[in-house]
Amino acid sequence: EAQVTQNPRYLITVTGKKLTVTCSQNMNHEYMSWYRQDPGLGLRQIYYSMNVEVTDKGDVPEGYKVSRKEKRNFPLILESPSPNQTSLYFCASSRRERYGYTFGSGTRLTVV
Amino acid sequence: TQLLEQSPQFLSIQEGENLTVYCNSSSVFSSLQWYRQEPGEGPVLLVTVVTGGEVKKLKRLTFQFGDARKDSSLHITAAQPGDTGLYLCAGGSGNQFYFGTGTSLTVIP
């Protein structure tokens, strides 16, 4: 089944403790992206990647890092999480932007 | 910067009614997409439109892309409770991709 897999689904952590949210796709898509979704603010792009070793900042990249060492994986790294990063995070992939994105099921992160 | 404005923000209708959701921008997009999202789940792609003036139909859903590729509409005929969800429009500009704030639709049986 074609899908984007994110882990974990739920995560509660403490301020400053480094964490990684993994994302993997099995569709051989070139484009991958991370979004956060907050009430009243909608979906905002954090980082995106157009191919292996090619990443760029989206609208809200502060406090996040990404890497794209393999085509299928695009992990999101929070080096020192803070409470304002509490949010619902989505990873998405696409063959090309004009074909639309396939989204993962989301990771609900709470930073206390 | 919110490039895509959706209206209405909330919509509650009775089963069987028709409705239209709008997505407007001052920017030109190379493509525009509509997604539906259920609580706690990721958005699911409904349709992509790429040509100005394009109209696509998906069963009871009709999507239209404006001639100038700045706006789009989603029309649902004879809404059903299963249509309940958050409808999101999204557009690509360069290498970035932007989502509207969404329209939350509730269809009451």
Side-chain angles (χ1 to χ4, degrees):
Chain A
E1 180 188 355
Q3 59 185 2
V4 176
T5 303
Q6 287 179 239
N7 281 297
R9 191 76 190 268
Y10 300 93
L11 180 60
I12 301 175
T13 190
V14 297
T15 299
K17 184 177 182 181
K18 180 180 179 180
L19 67 92
T20 300
V21 183
T22 63
C23 174
S24 180
Q25 52 95 1
N26 62 359
M27 296 166 280
N28 201 35
H29 284 169
E30 290 186 352
Y31 286 75
M32 296 188 75
S33 188
W34 276 102
Y35 291 86
R36 61 179 289 175
Q37 188 172 33
D38 302 287
L41 297 175
L43 278 159
R44 293 178 294 167
Q45 193 175 46
I46 303 170
Y47 269 94
Y48 62 95
S49 171
M50 292 179 286
N51 214 325
V52 175
E53 301 292 2
V54 181
T55 63
D56 209 344
K57 297 176 180 178
D59 286 333
V60 288
E62 294 76 22
Y64 305 95
K65 287 175 58 178
V66 293
S67 69
R68 187 93 181 271
K69 297 177 181 174
E70 306 166 280
K71 199 171 189 177
R72 63 182 294 125
N73 295 323
F74 191 43
L76 179 69
I77 303 156
L78 285 71
E79 294 271 4
S80 183
S82 62
N84 65 12
Q85 293 178 298
T86 292
S87 187
L88 180 58
Y89 291 87
F90 290 103
C91 179
S93 74
S94 173
R95 184 165 35 136
R96 283 190 67 180
E97 158 250 307
R98 64 187 285 149
Y99 294 108
Y101 277 94
T102 300
F103 279 81
S105 297
T107 295
R108 186 166 292 281
L109 171 66
T110 301
V111 183
V112 299
Chain B
T1 303
Q2 184 58 49
L3 294 184
L4 289 160
E5 298 288 340
Q6 285 187 240
S7 61
Q9 190 175 357
F10 298 97
L11 190 55
S12 181
I13 62 170
Q14 294 289 329
E15 181 176 0
E17 292 183 353
N18 301 332
L19 67 111
T20 301
V21 176
Y22 299 93
C23 175
N24 294 297
S25 176
S26 57
S27 301
V28 175
F29 292 100
S30 56
S31 70
L32 200 140
Q33 293 145 21
W34 286 92
Y35 294 78
R36 188 173 83 194
Q37 184 180 20
E38 309 224 0
E41 297 294 328
V44 175
L45 179 67
L46 297 174
V47 76
T48 298
V49 286
V50 298
T51 304
E54 183 176 1
V55 176
K56 280 192 175 179
K57 292 190 175 183
L58 186 67
K59 296 183 180 178
R60 296 177 292 101
L61 278 60
T62 301
F63 305 86
Q64 185 160 7
F65 200 12
D67 291 341
R69 292 187 288 129
K70 293 182 178 181
D71 54 87
S72 180
S73 64
L74 157 60
H75 182 79
I76 300 179
T77 304
Q80 299 177 1
D83 295 327
T84 293
L86 180 66
Y87 289 81
L88 298 159
C89 65
S93 179
N95 292 320
Q96 289 195 262
F97 205 66
Y98 302 94
F99 280 83
T101 49
T103 294
S104 180
L105 171 65
T106 302
V107 181
I108 302 166

